[in-house]
Coordinates of all heavy atoms in Angstrom, one line a residue:
P57 N -12.1 -11.9 15.8 CA -11.9 -11.4 14.5 C -10.7 -10.4 14.4 O -10.1 -10.3 13.4 CB -13.3 -10.7 14.2 CG -13.8 -10.4 15.6 CD -13.4 -11.6 16.4
K58 N -10.5 -9.6 15.5 CA -9.4 -8.7 15.5 C -8.0 -9.4 15.3 O -7.1 -9.0 14.7 CB -9.4 -7.8 16.7 CG -10.5 -6.9 16.8 CD -10.4 -6.0 18.0 CE -11.6 -5.0 18.1 NZ -11.5 -4.1 19.3
E59 N -7.9 -10.6 16.1 CA -6.7 -11.3 16.0 C -6.5 -11.9 14.5 O -5.4 -11.9 14.0 CB -6.7 -12.5 17.0 CG -6.5 -12.1 18.4 CD -7.8 -11.5 19.1 OE1 -8.8 -11.3 18.4 OE2 -7.8 -11.3 20.3
I60 N -7.6 -12.3 13.9 CA -7.5 -12.8 12.6 C -7.1 -11.8 11.6 O -6.2 -12.0 10.7 CB -8.9 -13.4 12.2 CG1 -9.1 -14.7 12.9 CG2 -8.9 -13.7 10.6 CD1 -10.5 -15.3 12.6
R61 N -7.6 -10.5 11.8 CA -7.2 -9.4 10.9 C -5.7 -9.1 11.0 O -5.1 -8.6 10.0 CB -8.0 -8.3 11.1 CG -9.5 -8.4 10.7 CD -10.4 -7.4 11.2 NE -11.8 -7.7 11.0 CZ -12.9 -7.1 11.5 NH1 -12.7 -6.0 12.3 NH2 -14.1 -7.5 11.3
R62 N -5.1 -9.4 12.1 CA -3.7 -9.1 12.3 C -2.9 -10.2 11.5 O -1.7 -10.0 11.2 CB -3.3 -9.1 13.8 CG -3.9 -7.9 14.5 CD -3.3 -7.9 15.9 NE -3.9 -6.8 16.7 CZ -4.9 -7.0 17.7 NH1 -5.3 -8.3 17.9 NH2 -5.4 -6.0 18.3
L63 N -3.5 -11.3 11.4 CA -2.8 -12.5 10.8 C -3.0 -12.7 9.3 O -2.2 -13.4 8.6 CB -3.3 -13.8 11.5 CG -3.0 -14.0 12.9 CD1 -3.8 -15.1 13.5 CD2 -1.5 -14.2 13.2
V64 N -4.0 -11.9 8.8 CA -4.4 -12.1 7.4 C -4.1 -10.8 6.5 O -4.3 -9.7 7.0 CB -5.9 -12.4 7.3 CG1 -6.5 -12.3 5.9 CG2 -6.2 -13.8 7.9
G65 N -3.7 -11.1 5.3 CA -3.6 -10.1 4.3 C -4.5 -10.4 3.2 O -4.4 -11.4 2.5
Y66 N -5.5 -9.6 3.0 CA -6.6 -9.8 2.0 C -6.5 -8.8 0.9 O -6.5 -7.6 1.0 CB -8.0 -9.8 2.6 CG -9.1 -9.8 1.7 CD1 -9.3 -10.9 0.9 CD2 -10.0 -8.7 1.5 CE1 -10.4 -11.0 0.0 CE2 -11.1 -8.8 0.6 CZ -11.2 -9.9 -0.1 OH -12.3 -10.0 -1.0
M67 N -6.3 -9.3 -0.4 CA -6.3 -8.5 -1.6 C -7.5 -8.7 -2.4 O -7.6 -9.8 -3.0 CB -5.0 -8.7 -2.4 CG -4.9 -7.6 -3.5 SD -3.2 -7.7 -4.2 CE -3.5 -9.0 -5.5
P68 N -8.4 -7.8 -2.5 CA -9.7 -8.1 -3.4 C -9.3 -8.1 -4.8 O -8.2 -7.6 -5.2 CB -10.6 -6.9 -3.0 CG -9.7 -5.9 -2.6 CD -8.5 -6.5 -1.9
D69 N -10.2 -8.5 -5.7 CA -10.0 -8.5 -7.1 C -9.8 -7.1 -7.7 O -9.0 -6.9 -8.6 CB -11.0 -9.4 -7.8 CG -12.4 -8.9 -7.5 OD1 -12.6 -8.1 -6.6 OD2 -13.4 -9.3 -8.2
F70 N -10.5 -6.2 -7.2 CA -10.4 -4.8 -7.6 C -10.2 -3.9 -6.4 O -11.0 -4.0 -5.5 CB -11.6 -4.3 -8.4 CG -11.8 -5.0 -9.7 CD1 -12.7 -6.1 -9.9 CD2 -11.0 -4.7 -10.8 CE1 -12.8 -6.7 -11.1 CE2 -11.1 -5.3 -12.0 CZ -12.0 -6.4 -12.2
F71 N -9.2 -3.1 -6.5 CA -9.0 -2.1 -5.4 C -8.5 -0.8 -6.0 O -7.9 -0.8 -7.0 CB -8.0 -2.7 -4.4 CG -6.7 -3.0 -5.0 CD1 -5.7 -2.1 -5.0 CD2 -6.4 -4.3 -5.4 CE1 -4.4 -2.4 -5.6 CE2 -5.2 -4.6 -6.0 CZ -4.2 -3.7 -6.1
G72 N -8.8 0.3 -5.3 CA -8.3 1.6 -5.8 C -7.0 2.0 -5.3 O -6.6 1.6 -4.2
V73 N -6.3 2.9 -6.0 CA -5.1 3.5 -5.5 C -5.3 5.0 -5.5 O -6.1 5.5 -6.3 CB -3.8 3.1 -6.3 CG1 -3.5 1.7 -6.2 CG2 -4.1 3.6 -7.8
Y74 N -4.6 5.7 -4.7 CA -4.8 7.2 -4.6 C -3.9 7.8 -5.6 O -2.7 7.8 -5.6 CB -4.4 7.7 -3.2 CG -5.3 7.1 -2.1 CD1 -4.8 6.1 -1.2 CD2 -6.7 7.4 -2.0 CE1 -5.6 5.6 -0.2 CE2 -7.5 6.8 -1.1 CZ -6.9 5.9 -0.1 OH -7.7 5.3 0.8
D75 N -4.6 8.5 -6.6 CA -3.9 9.0 -7.8 C -2.8 10.0 -7.5 O -1.8 10.1 -8.2 CB -4.9 9.5 -8.8 CG -5.8 8.5 -9.4 OD1 -5.4 7.4 -9.2 OD2 -6.8 8.9 -10.0
D76 N -3.0 10.8 -6.4 CA -2.1 11.9 -6.1 C -1.0 11.5 -5.2 O -0.2 12.3 -4.6 CB -2.8 13.1 -5.5 CG -3.6 12.7 -4.3 OD1 -3.8 11.5 -4.0 OD2 -4.0 13.6 -3.6
M77 N -0.9 10.2 -4.9 CA 0.2 9.6 -4.0 C 1.2 8.9 -4.9 O 0.9 8.2 -5.8 CB -0.4 8.7 -3.0 CG -1.0 9.3 -1.8 SD -1.4 8.0 -0.6 CE -2.0 9.0 0.7
K78 N 2.5 9.1 -4.5 CA 3.6 8.3 -5.0 C 3.5 6.9 -4.4 O 2.9 6.7 -3.4 CB 4.9 8.9 -4.7 CG 5.2 10.2 -5.4 CD 6.5 10.8 -5.1 CE 6.8 12.1 -5.8 NZ 8.1 12.6 -5.6
V79 N 4.1 5.9 -5.0 CA 4.1 4.5 -4.6 C 4.5 4.4 -3.1 O 3.9 3.8 -2.3 CB 4.9 3.6 -5.5 CG1 5.2 2.3 -4.9 CG2 4.3 3.5 -6.9
I80 N 5.7 5.0 -2.8 CA 6.2 4.9 -1.4 C 5.3 5.6 -0.5 O 5.1 5.1 0.7 CB 7.7 5.5 -1.3 CG1 8.2 5.2 0.0 CG2 7.6 7.0 -1.7 CD1 8.5 3.7 0.3
E81 N 4.6 6.7 -0.9 CA 3.7 7.4 0.0 C 2.5 6.6 0.2 O 1.9 6.5 1.4 CB 3.3 8.7 -0.6 CG 4.4 9.8 -0.7 CD 4.0 11.0 -1.5 OE1 3.1 10.9 -2.3 OE2 4.7 12.1 -1.4
Y82 N 2.0 5.9 -0.8 CA 0.8 5.0 -0.7 C 1.1 3.9 0.4 O 0.3 3.6 1.3 CB 0.6 4.4 -2.0 CG -0.6 3.3 -2.1 CD1 -1.9 3.8 -2.2 CD2 -0.3 2.0 -2.0 CE1 -2.9 2.8 -2.3 CE2 -1.4 1.0 -2.0 CZ -2.7 1.5 -2.2 OH -3.7 0.6 -2.2
L83 N 2.3 3.3 0.3 CA 2.6 2.2 1.3 C 2.8 2.8 2.6 O 2.4 2.2 3.7 CB 3.8 1.5 0.8 CG 3.7 0.6 -0.4 CD1 5.0 -0.1 -0.6 CD2 2.6 -0.4 -0.2
E84 N 3.4 3.9 2.8 CA 3.6 4.5 4.1 C 2.3 4.9 4.8 O 2.1 4.8 6.0 CB 4.5 5.8 4.0 CG 6.0 5.4 3.7 CD 6.9 6.6 3.8 OE1 6.4 7.7 3.7 OE2 8.1 6.4 4.1
F85 N 1.3 5.3 3.9 CA 0.0 5.6 4.5 C -0.7 4.4 5.1 O -1.2 4.5 6.2 CB -0.9 6.1 3.3 CG -2.4 6.4 3.7 CD1 -2.7 7.5 4.4 CD2 -3.3 5.4 3.4 CE1 -4.0 7.7 4.7 CE2 -4.6 5.6 3.7 CZ -5.0 6.8 4.4
F86 N -0.6 3.3 4.5 CA -1.2 2.0 5.1 C -0.3 1.5 6.2 O -0.8 0.9 7.1 CB -1.4 1.0 3.9 CG -2.6 1.3 3.1 CD1 -2.5 1.9 1.9 CD2 -3.9 1.0 3.5 CE1 -3.6 2.2 1.1 CE2 -5.0 1.2 2.8 CZ -4.8 1.9 1.5
A87 N 1.0 1.7 6.1 CA 1.9 1.3 7.2 C 1.5 2.0 8.4 O 1.6 1.4 9.5 CB 3.4 1.5 6.7
A88 N 1.2 3.3 8.3 CA 0.8 4.1 9.4 C -0.5 3.5 10.1 O -0.7 3.5 11.3 CB 0.6 5.5 9.1
A89 N -1.4 3.1 9.1 CA -2.6 2.5 9.6 C -2.4 1.2 10.4 O -3.2 0.9 11.3 CB -3.6 2.2 8.5
Y90 N -1.3 0.5 10.1 CA -0.9 -0.7 10.8 C -0.1 -0.3 12.0 O 0.5 -1.3 12.7 CB -0.1 -1.6 9.9 CG -1.0 -2.4 8.9 CD1 -0.7 -2.2 7.5 CD2 -2.0 -3.2 9.2 CE1 -1.5 -2.9 6.5 CE2 -2.8 -3.8 8.3 CZ -2.5 -3.7 7.0 OH -3.2 -4.4 6.0
R91 N 0.1 1.0 12.3 CA 0.8 1.5 13.5 C 2.3 1.1 13.4 O 2.9 0.8 14.4 CB 0.2 0.9 14.8 CG -1.2 1.4 15.0 CD -1.9 0.9 16.3 NE -3.2 1.4 16.4 CZ -4.0 1.0 17.4 NH1 -3.6 0.3 18.4 NH2 -5.3 1.5 17.4
I92 N 2.8 1.1 12.2 CA 4.2 1.0 12.0 C 4.8 2.3 12.0 O 4.5 3.1 11.1 CB 4.6 0.2 10.7 CG1 3.9 -1.2 10.7 CG2 6.1 0.0 10.5 CD1 4.0 -1.9 9.4
R93 N 5.7 2.7 12.9 CA 6.1 4.1 13.1 C 7.6 4.3 12.9 O 8.4 3.4 12.8 CB 5.7 4.6 14.5 CG 4.2 4.5 14.9 CD 3.9 5.0 16.2 NE 2.5 5.2 16.5 CZ 1.7 4.2 17.0 NH1 2.4 3.0 17.4 NH2 0.5 4.3 17.2
G94 N 7.9 5.6 12.7 CA 9.3 6.0 12.7 C 10.1 5.5 11.5 O 9.6 5.1 10.5
P95 N 11.4 5.3 11.7 CA 12.3 4.8 10.7 C 11.8 3.4 10.2 O 12.1 3.0 9.1 CB 13.7 4.8 11.3 CG 13.6 5.8 12.4 CD 12.2 5.7 12.9
E96 N 11.2 2.6 11.1 CA 10.8 1.3 10.8 C 9.8 1.2 9.6 O 9.8 0.3 8.9 CB 10.2 0.6 12.1 CG 9.6 -0.8 11.8 CD 10.7 -1.8 11.6 OE1 11.9 -1.5 11.7 OE2 10.4 -3.0 11.4
R97 N 9.0 2.3 9.6 CA 8.0 2.4 8.6 C 8.6 2.5 7.2 O 8.2 1.7 6.3 CB 7.0 3.6 8.8 CG 5.9 3.7 7.8 CD 5.2 5.1 7.9 NE 4.7 5.2 9.3 CZ 4.3 6.4 9.8 NH1 4.3 7.5 9.1 NH2 3.9 6.5 11.0
R98 N 9.6 3.3 7.0 CA 10.2 3.4 5.7 C 11.0 2.1 5.3 O 11.0 1.7 4.2 CB 11.2 4.6 5.7 CG 12.0 4.8 4.4 CD 11.1 5.0 3.1 NE 10.3 6.2 3.2 CZ 10.6 7.3 2.7 NH1 11.8 7.4 2.1 NH2 9.8 8.3 2.7
R99 N 11.6 1.5 6.4 CA 12.3 0.3 6.1 C 11.4 -0.8 5.6 O 11.7 -1.5 4.7 CB 13.1 -0.2 7.4 CG 14.0 -1.4 7.2 CD 14.4 -2.0 8.5 NE 13.2 -2.7 9.1 CZ 12.7 -3.8 8.8 NH1 13.3 -4.5 7.8 NH2 11.7 -4.3 9.5
V100 N 10.3 -1.0 6.3 CA 9.3 -2.0 5.9 C 8.7 -1.8 4.6 O 8.7 -2.7 3.7 CB 8.1 -2.0 7.0 CG1 7.0 -2.9 6.5 CG2 8.6 -2.6 8.3
C101 N 8.5 -0.5 4.2 CA 7.9 -0.2 2.9 C 8.9 -0.5 1.8 O 8.5 -1.1 0.7 CB 7.5 1.3 2.8 SG 6.1 1.7 3.9
D102 N 10.2 -0.2 2.0 CA 11.2 -0.4 1.0 C 11.4 -1.9 0.9 O 11.6 -2.5 -0.3 CB 12.5 0.2 1.5 CG 12.5 1.7 1.3 OD1 11.7 2.2 0.5 OD2 13.3 2.4 1.9
E103 N 11.3 -2.6 2.0 CA 11.5 -4.1 2.0 C 10.4 -4.8 1.1 O 10.6 -5.6 0.3 CB 11.5 -4.7 3.4 CG 11.6 -6.2 3.5 CD 11.4 -6.7 4.9 OE1 10.3 -6.8 5.3 OE2 12.5 -6.9 5.6
K104 N 9.1 -4.3 1.3 CA 8.0 -4.9 0.6 C 8.1 -4.6 -0.9 O 7.7 -5.5 -1.7 CB 6.7 -4.5 1.2 CG 6.5 -4.8 2.7 CD 7.0 -6.2 3.1 CE 6.9 -6.4 4.5 NZ 7.4 -7.7 5.0

């Protein structure tokens, strides 16, 4: 299951966003959860 979660992106029909976060901050928060670090994190977020 862990390998599958690395390969899959799942978007539910309803999901919440953090109201006090900017769009780029929201993405960087989840990028950190995916262990994307340093300058690479900002580059990946901007790319998406």
Side-chain angles (χ1 to χ4, degrees):
K58 290 183 179 179
E59 285 80 353
I60 289 175
R61 290 169 191 169
R62 295 188 184 101
L63 296 167
V64 167
Y66 172 63
M67 188 171 85
D69 52 351
F70 291 102
F71 57 90
V73 294
Y74 301 109
D75 294 347
D76 57 347
M77 276 188 176
K78 293 181 179 180
V79 166
I80 189 65
E81 293 171 341
Y82 176 84
L83 289 183
E84 288 188 340
F85 173 80
F86 283 98
Y90 287 121
R91 298 181 181 178
I92 303 173
R93 298 185 174 90
E96 178 70 4
R97 183 187 304 166
R98 177 59 64 94
R99 187 196 67 79
V100 167
C101 292
D102 286 339
E103 178 185 83
K104 304 314 177 189

